[in-house]
Amino acid sequence: MSVTISSKENGMLESSFRLGTVFGIRIGVHYTWLIVFFLLVSSLFVVFRNAHPEWSSHDTFLTALLATLLFFVSIILHELGHSLVAIARGIKVRAITLFIFGGVAQIGKDADTAATEFFIAIAGPLVSFALAGLFYLLKLWLMPYSETATAVLEWLTTINLVVAIFNLIPGFPMDGGRIFRALIWKMTGNAVKGMQWAVMSGKIVAYGLMITGMLIALQPAMLVNGLWLMGISWFLLAVAEDSKRAYFREHLAGHVSVGDVIQKEVPMIAADMSILSWIDEKMLLTGHRACLVIKDNQTIGLISLSDVVKCPREQWSNTPVREIMTPLKRLNIAQPTNSILEVLQIMNENGINQVPVLDEGKIVGWIDREHILKILQLHIDTGR
């Protein structure tokens, strides 16, 4: 299975180790991939042993191992198909990750046109169809010379066809679901409607796979296959919902300006206040983990809990906050005309939770991550 997700949805794929880089794209393997790798080698060992009982166990195992490795190379090529088209359409691709249910391409942002969405989505299945054709031609060429190569290439032809066809099922966020989203988007001219229809189709497909998996699991010796389909359905449901929420957060965030939601009543402390006094008299009583630092009625910086932990505890009582704060000139600043999407991007890129707002040369307040997320959630809940 192939999935394309934006980088903001990649939390489940953080536990991966790096294989290398291709065209600037990080190629990684999630630890769950080891499970499917073991299961696939074991299954192919049984398949090849039954088809060719004359082969030794050693030869059968090596054949199964080779077929499995070439299959995962095929998956990487499938994902590279998505990725190279995305790059050609101006979208950064951060990584390709192999995991238990297939491959994931992590892109920097969603497509900005229906055509871009369509071409990125269709590229993967086209690569798989091309690989199936290539392996088929190689099988015909090598058939008179190598029984082992013929067996491997025949299986690779079949599995790539299965991958291509399965991924064309209109279940978002699979390739077919993204193609469906692009078509709805193009026909209606409405990207939001395209996402809504795609997510709905994804859920229908996921529930269908779940029911099918349950029925298959009840059949003799088919428990693993049934559980596998149920696992895929659970993954599709989870990612479809996460994708929808992330998309609408980003869509809404691009239309709400900082000036509309600025927090003007923000915590402030004097530059000469000690760290200990700030913690005991302000932070622990108000729950504010950060505040602006003021001197002569002017904002000179910002201090947060992350600054405090860098200072030895025994020095808190005699160290003024100005010595450990982040000076104003080093702060990331927002303008009232910025969108909150731009501010969220600043926060994500710099690992910060508060951004002061500058208007006509003066700090007039700030905007923090929690406030932004609450506002976006209310927009999502009310549909406005």
Side-chain angles (χ1 to χ4, degrees):
M1 184 181 69
S2 169
V3 174
T4 305
I5 62 175
S6 60
S7 58
K8 53 187 170 288
E9 305 157 37
N10 68 355
M12 70 182 70
L13 299 175
E14 289 176 353
S15 302
S16 62
F17 56 91
R18 181 172 182 166
L19 294 179
T21 302
V22 178
F23 300 112
I25 304 168
R26 179 187 181 274
I27 308 296
V29 172
H30 191 252
Y31 70 90
T32 57
W33 174 82
L34 298 174
I35 300 172
V36 70
F37 180 81
F38 172 78
L39 290 175
L40 191 52
V41 171
S42 301
S43 298
L44 286 177
F45 179 85
V46 174
V47 169
F48 289 140
R49 185 179 59 183
N50 291 337
H52 303 279
E54 72 280 7
W55 291 358
S56 68
S57 296
H58 178 265
D59 290 343
T60 304
F61 172 77
L62 289 180
T63 303
L65 181 62
L66 176 62
T68 300
L69 291 173
L70 288 174
F71 169 63
F72 285 113
V73 169
S74 299
I75 295 297
I76 291 174
L77 292 174
H78 177 112
E79 297 303 330
L80 277 174
H82 293 304
S83 301
L84 294 179
V85 172
I87 292 171
R89 306 283 295 194
I91 296 177
K92 182 178 180 180
V93 180
R94 301 184 184 279
I96 291 173
T97 306
L98 295 175
F99 76 123
I100 189 169
F101 296 127
V104 171
Q106 296 166 248
I107 61 176
K109 63 175 183 177
D110 282 316
D112 53 4
T113 67
T116 295
E117 177 79 343
F118 177 83
F119 289 127
I120 292 174
I122 197 68
L126 289 179
V127 169
S128 292
F129 278 123
L131 287 173
L134 175 63
F135 288 133
Y136 178 74
L137 292 175
L138 287 174
K139 182 194 78 169
L140 295 180
W141 179 44
L142 293 175
M143 188 179 295
Y145 309 106
S146 173
E147 187 179 48
T148 301
T150 300
V152 170
L153 291 168
E154 184 173 13
W155 182 79
L156 288 171
T157 299
T158 302
I159 197 64
N160 275 281
L161 277 175
V162 170
V163 167
I165 294 171
F166 182 78
N167 276 288
L168 288 175
I169 295 174
F172 189 86
M174 291 195 306
D175 300 339
R178 289 190 173 272
I179 292 170
F180 180 65
R181 174 193 169 193
L183 294 176
I184 298 296
W185 183 355
K186 181 66 175 178
M187 288 188 293
T188 63
N190 190 322
V192 173
K193 187 169 292 186
M195 175 60 83
Q196 290 172 332
W197 278 73
V199 170
M200 181 175 66
S201 74
K203 290 182 177 180
I204 292 172
V205 169
Y207 285 123
L209 289 175
M210 185 173 293
I211 294 172
T212 303
M214 290 178 181
L215 295 175
I216 290 176
L218 296 175
Q219 304 303 311
M222 296 294 285
L223 177 62
V224 173
N225 292 334
L227 292 176
W228 191 267
L229 274 181
M230 293 167 64
I232 290 177
S233 66
W234 168 83
F235 176 77
L236 289 177
L237 283 172
V239 176
E241 188 61 31
D242 286 348
S243 298
K244 182 188 75 171
R245 296 177 72 86
Y247 175 82
F248 284 111
R249 279 199 302 267
E250 183 171 306
H251 179 77
L252 291 167
H255 293 81
V256 179
S257 68
V258 169
D260 294 331
V261 297
I262 183 177
Q263 298 162 273
K264 296 183 178 180
E265 299 297 326
V266 298
M268 301 179 182
I269 58 170
D272 293 326
M273 177 178 279
S274 71
I275 297 172
L276 186 61
S277 296
W278 173 51
I279 292 174
D280 289 345
E281 299 173 19
K282 301 288 184 178
M283 184 192 295
L284 296 180
L285 297 181
T286 64
H288 294 134
R289 298 164 59 92
C291 64
L292 296 177
V293 180
I294 307 299
K295 183 177 182 180
D296 298 330
N297 293 321
Q298 296 291 322
T299 301
I300 64 171
L302 182 146
I303 186 170
S304 67
L305 184 57
S306 60
D307 297 315
V308 171
V309 297
K310 298 174 185 177
C311 180
R313 187 178 293 268
E314 60 271 14
Q315 297 179 19
W316 286 3
S317 61
N318 55 18
T319 302
V321 293
R322 69 173 182 273
E323 292 189 10
I324 65 168
M325 71 178 186
T326 302
L328 184 60
K329 63 182 179 181
R330 288 173 46 202
L331 290 174
N332 292 281
I333 303 294
Q335 303 287 335
T337 54
N338 290 137
S339 70
I340 58 177
L341 174 60
E342 292 172 312
V343 176
L344 278 174
Q345 290 171 339
I346 290 173
M347 290 178 175
N348 292 334
E349 290 170 2
N350 295 278
I352 56 179
N353 293 305
Q354 301 85 20
V355 175
V357 180
L358 185 72
D359 188 20
E360 297 182 354
K362 292 182 60 178
I363 299 294
V364 294
W366 75 19
I367 185 166
D368 67 40
R369 185 190 300 272
E370 184 179 0
H371 185 59
I372 291 175
L373 295 180
K374 283 182 179 178
I375 290 170
L376 291 177
Q377 188 59 53
L378 287 172
H379 276 281
I380 293 171
D381 291 342
T382 59
R384 296 179 61 85

